[in-house]
mmCIF file of all heavy atoms in Angstrom:
data_model
loop_
_atom_site.group_PDB
_atom_site.id
_atom_site.type_symbol
_atom_site.label_atom_id
_atom_site.label_comp_id
_atom_site.label_asym_id
_atom_site.label_seq_id
_atom_site.Cartn_x
_atom_site.Cartn_y
_atom_site.Cartn_z
ATOM 1 N N CYS T 243 -8.487 0.892 -3.096
ATOM 2 C CA CYS T 243 -8.207 0.369 -1.679
ATOM 3 C C CYS T 243 -7.745 1.502 -0.776
ATOM 4 O O CYS T 243 -7.025 2.439 -1.185
ATOM 5 C CB CYS T 243 -7.071 -0.634 -1.696
ATOM 6 S SG CYS T 243 -6.685 -1.385 -0.172
ATOM 7 N N TYR T 245 -5.987 1.136 2.009
ATOM 8 C CA TYR T 245 -4.814 0.828 2.806
ATOM 9 C C TYR T 245 -3.435 1.426 2.269
ATOM 10 O O TYR T 245 -3.221 2.476 2.433
ATOM 11 C CB TYR T 245 -4.707 -0.698 3.055
ATOM 12 C CG TYR T 245 -5.675 -1.251 4.085
ATOM 13 C CD1 TYR T 245 -6.794 -2.075 3.757
ATOM 14 C CD2 TYR T 245 -5.573 -0.854 5.397
ATOM 15 C CE1 TYR T 245 -7.557 -2.552 4.718
ATOM 16 C CE2 TYR T 245 -6.418 -1.298 6.377
ATOM 17 C CZ TYR T 245 -7.410 -2.219 5.997
ATOM 18 O OH TYR T 245 -8.232 -2.665 6.967
ATOM 19 N N CYS T 246 -2.678 0.566 1.539
ATOM 20 C CA CYS T 246 -1.354 0.974 1.240
ATOM 21 C C CYS T 246 -1.184 1.748 -0.023
ATOM 22 O O CYS T 246 -2.050 1.884 -0.825
ATOM 23 C CB CYS T 246 -0.411 -0.198 1.277
ATOM 24 S SG CYS T 246 -0.204 -1.082 -0.229
ATOM 25 N N VAL T 248 0.138 1.051 -2.800
ATOM 26 C CA VAL T 248 0.041 0.375 -4.104
ATOM 27 C C VAL T 248 -1.211 0.968 -4.822
ATOM 28 O O VAL T 248 -1.198 1.061 -6.068
ATOM 29 C CB VAL T 248 -0.063 -1.212 -3.950
ATOM 30 C CG1 VAL T 248 -0.231 -1.808 -5.320
ATOM 31 C CG2 VAL T 248 1.150 -1.673 -3.341
ATOM 32 N N GLY T 249 -2.319 1.124 -4.137
ATOM 33 C CA GLY T 249 -3.484 1.776 -4.725
ATOM 34 C C GLY T 249 -4.245 0.872 -5.637
ATOM 35 O O GLY T 249 -4.558 1.163 -6.741
ATOM 36 N N CYS T 250 -4.535 -0.321 -5.115
ATOM 37 C CA CYS T 250 -5.198 -1.308 -5.964
ATOM 38 C C CYS T 250 -6.710 -0.893 -6.261
ATOM 39 O O CYS T 250 -7.401 -0.377 -5.383
ATOM 40 C CB CYS T 250 -5.328 -2.680 -5.175
ATOM 41 S SG CYS T 250 -3.677 -3.435 -4.955
ATOM 42 N N ALA T 277 -5.060 -8.420 -5.355
ATOM 43 C CA ALA T 277 -5.201 -7.640 -4.107
ATOM 44 C C ALA T 277 -4.537 -8.442 -3.008
ATOM 45 O O ALA T 277 -4.124 -9.623 -3.152
ATOM 46 C CB ALA T 277 -6.677 -7.399 -3.780
ATOM 47 N N CYS T 278 -4.367 -7.883 -1.875
ATOM 48 C CA CYS T 278 -3.777 -8.617 -0.705
ATOM 49 C C CYS T 278 -4.948 -8.880 0.353
ATOM 50 O O CYS T 278 -6.077 -8.342 0.173
ATOM 51 C CB CYS T 278 -2.610 -7.925 -0.023
ATOM 52 S SG CYS T 278 -3.109 -6.514 0.965
ATOM 53 N N LYS T 280 -5.547 -7.400 3.034
ATOM 54 C CA LYS T 280 -6.109 -6.204 3.660
ATOM 55 C C LYS T 280 -7.186 -5.652 2.721
ATOM 56 O O LYS T 280 -8.285 -5.395 3.070
ATOM 57 C CB LYS T 280 -5.016 -5.219 3.925
ATOM 58 C CG LYS T 280 -4.057 -5.633 5.016
ATOM 59 C CD LYS T 280 -3.166 -4.498 5.448
ATOM 60 C CE LYS T 280 -2.031 -4.241 4.452
ATOM 61 N NZ LYS T 280 -0.897 -5.116 4.524
ATOM 62 N N GLY T 281 -6.766 -5.410 1.421
ATOM 63 C CA GLY T 281 -7.667 -4.793 0.566
ATOM 64 C C GLY T 281 -8.942 -5.717 0.230
ATOM 65 O O GLY T 281 -10.012 -5.299 0.037
ATOM 66 N N PRO T 413 2.011 -5.580 -0.576
ATOM 67 C CA PRO T 413 1.954 -6.997 -1.005
ATOM 68 C C PRO T 413 1.711 -7.276 -2.483
ATOM 69 O O PRO T 413 2.227 -8.211 -3.149
ATOM 70 C CB PRO T 413 0.854 -7.594 -0.208
ATOM 71 C CG PRO T 413 0.605 -6.560 0.898
ATOM 72 C CD PRO T 413 1.061 -5.268 0.395
ATOM 73 N N VAL T 414 0.830 -6.445 -3.107
ATOM 74 C CA VAL T 414 0.572 -6.671 -4.521
ATOM 75 C C VAL T 414 1.796 -6.338 -5.346
ATOM 76 O O VAL T 414 2.150 -7.046 -6.306
ATOM 77 C CB VAL T 414 -0.701 -5.904 -4.979
ATOM 78 C CG1 VAL T 414 -0.845 -5.860 -6.455
ATOM 79 C CG2 VAL T 414 -1.881 -6.626 -4.337
HETATM 80 S S1 LIG D 3 -1.527 -4.062 -1.841
HETATM 81 FE FE1 LIG D 3 -2.079 -2.292 -0.732
HETATM 82 S S2 LIG D 3 -3.545 -1.247 -2.057
HETATM 83 FE FE2 LIG D 3 -3.426 -3.383 -2.708
HETATM 84 S S3 LIG D 3 -5.045 -4.491 -1.686
HETATM 85 FE FE3 LIG D 3 -3.268 -4.642 -0.410
HETATM 86 S S4 LIG D 3 -3.329 -2.993 0.986
HETATM 87 FE FE4 LIG D 3 -4.745 -2.470 -0.646
#
Side-chain angles (χ1 to χ4, degrees):
C243 179
Y245 280 115
C246 86
V248 177
C250 296
C278 78
K280 293 190 285 280
V414 165

